[in-house]
Amino acid sequence: MTHPVYKIEAAVRPMAAISGRAVRLSWTEARPAVQVIFQLRLLAGALIGAGAAADVSWGVMAAGAAAWLLLTWSAYLLNGAADVVEDQSNGSTRPIARGDLSALTGGRLALLLGALGLSLSAALSERFFLLALLLLVLSWAYSTGPAPLKNTVAGVQVAVVGAGLVTYLAGISAAGVPVTGTVLVFAVAMSAWMGIGGLAKDLSDVAGDRAAGRHTLPLLWGERRAKLAIAAAAVAVGGSFLAAALTAAPGLVPAAALVLAGSAALAAVALGRWSTGDRRAQRRPYRLFMLTQYSAHLTVLAEVVLR
């Protein structure tokens, strides 16, 4: 009979064999630009909720940010490991798709990062841990299982918008500040904007999504109708955000105006010739989505810090 100690060693050995190079590649696979915006979402929830940087418990906030980084790193690494067929069909240059990092190693690292993130979250508070667990459940349900959420338009929206809302609430929890009307307006609006990003990225991923059997908007409706729907949804989110800011959260008006401007630009690019052609051109609406959310978050954070 095998001694229990040897069984434990056999389970841990694959983790210990993960190299520093694999960790670096896993960070690239997790899309650093996306990891940074998740940190900005967390920070925005804290600072908008607090109203002033001095009112934030920065020690706890730093621990919360580290935990959240481990969780989102895990989520996007797992997504890369689960999307090999799609990413290779789309010509992705990320490490797993190009063969520099195996999907097996990526999956193992995702498990390790997720466990570390949950452990650190549990040390902060019960509320933060529950939010962290919800994020991980949403993220893993998006990429894996018998019916991954990534396969349908509705599933993508549930995962993406849900991950946004959970992140803003986690920032509020880590900072130990109340949930105010202003922070709710921002969290709901920018989570809805994340839903636009979930739609926009599909415009450049048609080949991979078709190969993987997904049911995305471009595959269901065709490219032209999908672009019309995305453009209309983007402007609706931008306009609703500005209307809500003018009515209930005046401090968010500059950020809301930026989102409306970004939505108009995204709509113009999606409906014009700028998003037609090779994959680089097709990704322009998504890049405008990213630029808009970065601009909105940095504007809000700067306003609170300089207040």
Side-chain angles (χ1 to χ4, degrees):
M1 179 180 289
T2 305
H3 194 280
V5 171
Y6 297 133
K7 291 182 179 180
I8 294 172
E9 287 179 352
V12 172
R13 195 176 300 120
M15 297 293 188
I18 294 172
S19 67
R21 177 175 180 273
V23 173
R24 290 193 299 274
L25 288 172
S26 77
W27 175 248
T28 302
E29 182 68 38
R31 303 164 227 183
V34 175
Q35 299 304 317
V36 171
I37 194 62
F38 265 103
Q39 291 292 300
L40 292 179
R41 290 173 188 138
L42 194 78
L43 189 59
L47 286 179
I48 298 172
D55 295 333
V56 173
S57 176
W58 286 106
V60 178
M61 189 66 211
W68 215 254
L69 178 62
L70 291 168
L71 295 168
T72 54
W73 186 352
S74 168
Y76 277 82
L77 181 55
L78 179 69
N79 180 249
D83 281 3
V84 178
V85 172
E86 300 94 307
D87 287 345
Q88 289 179 340
S89 296
N90 290 328
S92 171
T93 59
R94 288 197 296 271
I96 292 179
R98 68 174 185 254
D100 290 343
L101 178 68
S102 74
L104 179 60
T105 298
R108 287 172 174 168
L109 264 171
L111 284 171
L112 179 59
L113 291 166
L116 290 173
L118 283 179
S119 298
L120 183 53
S121 298
L124 294 175
S125 71
E126 181 179 350
R127 181 185 300 174
F128 192 90
F129 172 76
L130 291 174
L131 290 168
L133 184 60
L134 180 55
L135 176 73
L136 213 55
V137 168
L138 281 171
S139 301
W140 286 44
Y142 176 85
S143 297
T144 63
L149 295 176
K150 66 184 180 181
N151 285 347
T152 65
V153 175
V156 169
Q157 293 301 299
V158 168
V160 171
V161 175
L165 288 171
V166 168
T167 299
Y168 292 111
L169 292 174
I172 293 168
S173 176
V177 297
V179 180
T180 65
T182 299
V183 74
L184 276 179
V185 168
F186 189 79
V188 170
M190 295 313 298
S191 296
W193 186 249
M194 288 174 66
I196 301 301
L199 296 173
K201 77 174 185 62
D202 291 337
L203 293 173
S204 61
D205 293 346
V206 172
D209 290 339
R210 182 181 289 112
R214 292 188 187 180
H215 303 289
T216 64
L217 216 54
L219 288 172
L220 292 171
W221 290 3
E223 181 182 0
R224 184 63 183 173
R225 289 178 65 193
K227 286 181 174 180
L228 282 168
I230 293 168
V235 173
V237 170
S240 298
F241 185 15
L242 183 58
L246 288 168
T247 303
L252 297 178
V253 168
L258 276 172
V259 173
L260 181 57
S263 70
L266 188 155
V269 168
L271 297 177
R273 58 183 176 81
W274 301 280
S275 63
T276 302
D278 59 17
R279 190 165 187 261
R280 180 182 176 86
Q282 292 167 346
R283 281 186 65 80
R284 283 175 181 149
Y286 180 77
R287 291 195 182 98
L288 279 167
F289 151 77
M290 285 292 287
L291 177 62
T292 299
Q293 65 172 355
Y294 261 96
S295 300
H297 283 80
L298 292 173
T299 297
V300 163
L301 292 173
E303 191 274 332
V304 175
V305 170
L306 297 174
R307 183 177 299 166

